[in-house]
Amino acid sequence: VLFWLDRLAREAGQAGTGGPLRLLDAGGHVGTKYMAFGRHLDLSRFGWTIWDLPALVAAGRRGQGAGQVPPAIRFVDRPQEAGAVDVLLGSGLMQYIDISLTELVGRLAAPPPVIVLNKVATRKGPELVTIEKIGPGRVPYRIRELAAFEAEIDALGYDIADTWEIPSLSHRISTHPWLGRSTSRGYTLRRR
């Protein structure tokens, strides 16, 4: 993700588009990626907007008021409120969101030229939803069928510019081991 964000910002700078790269961090929590990436990227090259669940957007805004969340981050209640963006970032989003990538892109003001996805849970077999334990709670966890997900990307009008696997996030459902392991993947997609 860092490689691609840096590369995209450099490309925009070379193209002389003027101004920072407009980025929507979908599922961006209260700015955790922005703060973590700041150690490795010049964040002044980005106009960083976050859309997440209402409680997290409210917490992010409160954090800004308390000086705990950088004021450079903009929070929105709905993805279309971000306006036209250059990059849609979804890192750790697709396994938790209850809509398809097509529906997510359809909620934006316009399809972005680039989409960077990370930690997409996939499998070679039918899509399934299981339950993941996070702290004391349990949340639905969606594992997408690889071929269908990549066909959806193509149908949306995007080419896969890069893909990578994240072996440490591969999982086997302990109660259903016969379903095999999932594979966590990342993607950089460019609009045709």
Side-chain angles (χ1 to χ4, degrees), residues 101-190:
L101 181 60
T102 302
E103 291 172 281
L104 175 58
V105 170
R107 291 183 184 185
L108 301 175
V114 177
I115 300 174
V116 179
L117 301 173
N118 197 36
K119 304 177 187 175
V120 180
T122 65
R123 67 186 302 263
K124 293 181 180 175
E127 179 175 300
L128 58 92
V129 177
T130 186
I131 301 294
E132 180 181 27
K133 182 180 178 185
I134 298 180
R138 307 283 191 279
V139 296
Y141 187 92
R142 186 175 184 176
I143 304 173
R144 296 167 192 271
E145 197 277 319
L146 178 62
F149 183 65
E150 291 185 352
E152 179 185 10
I153 289 168
D154 182 61
L156 262 171
Y158 287 87
D159 291 322
I160 298 172
D162 192 12
T163 186
W164 55 93
E165 290 186 14
I166 309 162
S168 63
L169 296 179
S170 173
H171 299 289
R172 181 181 307 275
I173 302 170
S174 62
T175 58
H176 294 72
W178 58 88
L179 294 175
R181 296 186 75 76
S182 66
T183 301
S184 184
R185 299 178 188 280
Y187 293 91
T188 296
L189 313 175
R190 289 194 185 256

Side-chain angles (χ1 to χ4, degrees), residues 40-121:
H40 309 285
L41 287 175
D42 175 4
L43 293 176
S44 69
R45 300 183 298 172
F46 298 90
W48 203 284
T49 301
I50 292 176
W51 166 67
D52 208 312
L53 296 170
L56 290 170
V57 168
R61 290 176 175 147
R62 281 193 311 274
Q64 283 179 319
Q68 300 163 335
V69 174
I73 298 173
R74 179 175 159 231
F75 289 91
V76 294
D77 297 304
R78 298 178 307 149
Q80 56 269 36
E81 292 172 8
V85 296
D86 302 304
V87 179
L88 170 63
L89 172 62
S91 183
L93 170 72
M94 297 308 296
Q95 67 270 39
Y96 300 114
I97 197 165
D98 62 350
I99 59 174
S100 67
L101 181 60
T102 302
E103 291 172 281
L104 175 58
V105 170
R107 291 183 184 185
L108 301 175
V114 177
I115 300 174
V116 179
L117 301 173
N118 197 36
K119 304 177 187 175
V120 180

